[in-house]
């Protein structure tokens, strides 16, 4: 059996990037985080940030230096979330929202890592989170 315990993101400044994702997700940074390793718990899985000297960000969606990973975040109001993530330091890279308001937008975080805000057909928001039909 395997259980995912960490999703580790290389970056030049772990505490700075952890602060961005802490604000983005509303979750706290672990108390033992430092300038070499910072983490944000998500139940049994931790989103972690590790310092890498001479860090070079991916240039995705450019294929010359493609993405190394990306995160998808389902949202209930893509316009409001776009204003929020851009205000936190994200950069919009490409928009794939269709005329009905569904699709995704590609952003990069302050260190250049890609992530998407998604609004998918058939998703219902409840007090417990997202339910797909």
């Amino acid at each position: 059996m395997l259980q995912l315990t960490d999703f580790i993101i290389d970056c030049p400044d772990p505490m700075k990037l952890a602060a961005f994702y802490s604000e983005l997700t509303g979750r706290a940074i672990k108390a033992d985080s430092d300038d070499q390793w910072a983490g944000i718990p998500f139940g049994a899985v931790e989103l972690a940030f590790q310092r890498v000297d001479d860090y070079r960000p991916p240039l995705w969606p450019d294929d010359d230096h493609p993405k190394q990973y990306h995160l998808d975040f389902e949202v209930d109001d893509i316009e409001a979330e776009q204003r929020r993530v851009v205000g936190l330091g994200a950069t919009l890279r490409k928009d794939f929202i269709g005329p009905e308001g569904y699709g995704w937008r590609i952003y990069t975080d302050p260190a250049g890592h890609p992530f998407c805000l998604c609004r998918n057909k058939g998703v219902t928001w409840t007090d417990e989170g997202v339910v797909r039909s």
Side-chain angles (χ1 to χ4, degrees):
M1 288 179 51
L2 296 176
Q3 181 176 336
L4 179 64
T5 59
D6 298 279
F7 186 84
I8 303 165
I9 301 172
D10 292 347
C11 63
D13 185 340
M15 289 302 292
K16 182 176 179 181
L17 199 53
F20 171 82
Y21 279 102
S22 176
E23 285 293 322
L24 185 75
T25 64
R27 294 185 176 258
I29 299 170
K30 286 177 61 177
D32 62 349
S33 296
D34 61 32
D35 65 347
Q36 295 298 312
W37 181 278
I40 300 172
F42 287 82
V45 177
E46 180 175 301
L47 182 59
F49 310 91
Q50 176 179 307
R51 179 180 297 283
V52 172
D53 294 331
D54 301 318
Y55 171 76
R56 291 185 344 226
L59 301 176
W60 184 69
D62 182 340
D63 288 334
D64 289 339
H65 191 173
K67 67 183 176 193
Q68 297 157 353
Y69 80 93
H70 80 272
L71 303 173
D72 283 350
F73 295 98
E74 183 71 29
V75 298
D76 61 345
D77 182 339
I78 201 152
E79 300 303 330
E81 286 302 313
Q82 175 168 305
R83 288 189 295 275
R84 191 170 80 85
V85 301
V86 168
L88 291 170
T91 302
L92 175 63
R93 296 296 182 187
K94 199 154 188 179
D95 186 341
F96 293 97
I97 300 295
E100 294 179 2
Y102 298 106
W104 66 94
R105 290 183 181 151
I106 301 169
Y107 301 83
T108 50
D109 67 24
H113 299 105
F115 69 93
C116 296
L117 296 182
C118 305
R119 183 70 178 113
N120 292 298
K121 227 180 239 190
V123 170
T124 304
W125 287 79
T126 69
D127 291 340
E128 289 77 39
V130 172
V131 176
R132 296 182 185 275
S133 55

